Each structure stands twice: as structure tokens, then as C-alpha cells.
Amino acid sequence: GLEKYVDFNDLTPVGYFMLVADGAIREANPAGAALLGQERSRLFDQRLEAFVSEETLPTFHIFLDKVWVGASRETCEVAFAPTGAPCRYVRLDGVGVTSAAGRACQLAAVDITARRRAKAALRQSEILIEGTRDSLTAHVAILDAQGMIVLVNAAWRRFAEQNGGGAGCHVGADYMVVCRKVLAGKDRAEAQAALRGICHVLDGTRNYFSMEYPCHSPTEPRWFEMRVFHLSGTRPSVMIAHRNITARKRTEAALWRSEAQ
């Protein structure tokens, strides 16, 4: 009986762990060891939480606490981030058991990394579709990984020329330099926020950033919305779209005045 049970866990593609009261690993099957990027023999007596990412560690602790005190199955999703091995997202199913050796916890770990990545890719596609739709009338530029402008649309060129910025916003120009020049002017706060947001998308910290900012002309007040999208590919880059939202801002201001009256 026990021999067949152990053999089954060795053959299943689902990771299996047995934890004792202090959270140390007492048993692990080959699939579980593979999820942690470790040799099976080196896992015993190591604490499983040592392999859980810092971001998902609170979720893991809450899950484990429920398993220890309850009799029903508990479930959570965490990330295993062992040193020197790729991060893997897993769904943990756990139940507390009592044996002659004392209280223990049985865990099954299902790799959901592919599902998580597919979900993130779908979200990015939705954002890009929305950005493409807006780009029909927006001023659009594509930056490479260093922040250099590699492509602009006609609306971008017209707006840059009409506002005296054609020399710094053309293909081949460093858009980061353009933003830093604005930092010395009266729109310092907006330029600083924009530069920080673009940098976050460029370095992969964020996939998307947006902000609204004033850009008044000598003849009229104007407001714009900037959206920055991460573009995946062999050469990561970003798309920046500036959309005129002056009409909306005027409507909001008129509504505010009406409510105030």
C-alpha cells in the first residue's frame, strides 16, 4: 500500500510536499523538487517558505495558517522564486493531517505559470488595441529601449512643428532629453511625472502608464492625456500617444460651475 502510494507521487506531474509543524519539508516528489529548481535529496528539512517570493509570502502564510488549524482543503496561488532558478507560479492545495508522528500538512502544487503569462499577454493585447484605436487621432511615437524616437505618425509631426518642438521630437531624437528640458520650465511637476512613468515602462517595471497634463497655447487653454504602452518583441520598445482632451475638460469645468451655482 505505502509503496504504491509513494510510487504514484513520484510519477505524477503535480508537485507534492509533506510539511511538518515548523513548515519544514519532510517529503517531496520529483515534480515538487523541479518546481523549486532543487535536487530532491536537498529539500528535506528546508522550510518551504524559503522558496516563496517575497510578494506572495503573506498569502502563503495565511494559507498555511488555515491549513494547520482547519480540517478542510485550502487553496491559494503563490510564486516560487528559488535562487538561480526561474520563477514559477503555482496553485497550492493543502490539507492538515494527523498521524502517529504528529500534525503534518500535505500540499499539492500545480504549475500555472503558462496560464498566468497568457492572462498577462491578453491584458497587454487589450491595452494595445485600445491604444491603437485612440492613435487614429492621437499624436503617436514609438521609442526604442533607450528612449530614442524610431517612428512617429503624421499627427505627432504636425503638433511638434506647430508648437516649436519639431527639432527635438523627430525620428532619431532622444525623447528623454526632451522631457528633461521641460523639467526646467513651469511644467516641471508634469514633466517629472511623465519622465518617471516612461522610464518605468521602458525598464519593464510597468506595462502601461497614463497621465493628464495641461499644455496651454498662447491663444487657448489645452489639456492632453498621455498613454505609454509596453511593446513586446525581439526588441522591446514603447508606444507613446498624446490625445487632446480639452473638450472633455471644458465640459467637466462647466458642470462643476453649474453644480457650484
Side-chain angles (χ1 to χ4, degrees):
L2 179 59
E3 183 179 353
K4 292 181 179 179
Y5 175 71
V6 173
D7 288 344
F8 171 77
N9 281 303
D10 285 351
L11 295 174
T12 180
V14 175
Y16 167 81
F17 303 96
M18 174 78 80
L19 308 184
V20 292
D22 63 352
I25 301 172
R26 186 55 50 86
E27 296 179 21
N29 70 344
L35 284 174
L36 300 181
Q38 303 289 316
E39 292 183 13
R40 187 181 181 186
S41 60
R42 295 183 178 181
L43 287 177
F44 304 122
D45 293 330
Q46 292 197 59
R47 294 170 64 87
L48 183 60
E49 68 176 30
F51 298 95
V52 179
S53 72
E54 183 177 351
E55 295 79 8
T56 61
L57 194 56
T59 299
F60 177 75
H61 283 155
I62 294 173
F63 159 79
L64 208 55
D65 287 343
K66 291 180 178 179
V67 171
W68 285 122
V69 301
S72 60
R73 190 186 75 173
E74 300 291 339
T75 301
C76 75
E77 292 185 5
V78 299
F80 286 157
T83 303
C87 178
R88 310 298 299 179
Y89 291 96
V90 298
R91 189 190 76 235
L92 294 178
D93 292 289
V95 63
V97 296
T98 302
S99 65
R103 190 70 173 165
C105 169
Q106 292 180 337
L107 295 181
V110 179
D111 191 343
I112 59 171
T113 304
R115 191 192 78 189
R116 288 286 295 264
R117 288 176 177 170
K119 185 176 180 180
L122 177 61
R123 175 57 184 155
Q124 181 175 329
S125 297
E126 292 172 346
I127 292 175
L128 289 177
I129 289 172
E130 184 178 357
T132 302
R133 182 197 63 195
D134 291 342
S135 70
L136 296 176
T137 57
H139 318 132
V140 178
I142 305 297
L143 312 184
D144 65 14
Q146 286 70 48
M148 305 294 290
I149 300 175
V150 296
L151 183 68
V152 298
N153 68 349
W156 178 284
R157 288 194 297 270
R158 286 195 300 270
F159 186 82
E161 293 169 357
Q162 292 168 2
N163 290 272
C169 294
H170 61 277
V171 173
D174 188 336
Y175 195 67
M176 300 296 101
V177 172
V178 176
C179 292
R180 292 189 182 97
K181 286 182 178 179
V182 182
L183 288 176
K186 61 181 180 179
D187 297 325
R188 176 183 176 86
E190 288 82 4
Q192 192 170 35
L195 183 62
R196 185 166 55 247
I198 294 171
C199 288
H200 283 328
V201 177
L202 277 172
D203 64 21
T205 304
R206 301 179 61 172
N207 285 327
Y208 172 70
F209 170 77
S210 68
M211 64 171 288
E212 296 179 1
Y213 64 94
C215 182
H216 305 318
S217 73
T219 58
E220 65 172 342
R222 299 179 305 185
W223 287 267
F224 288 82
E225 178 188 47
M226 180 181 75
R227 294 185 176 187
V228 186
F229 307 87
H230 175 76
L231 302 176
S232 298
T234 55
R235 296 182 178 180
S237 57
V238 302
M239 179 176 74
I240 299 180
H242 296 267
R243 185 166 60 96
N244 193 321
I245 59 171
T246 303
R248 194 195 79 197
K249 284 291 187 179
R250 288 174 177 169
T251 300
E252 291 174 353
L255 180 61
W256 183 87
R257 287 193 299 267
S258 176
E259 291 177 345
Q261 292 174 359

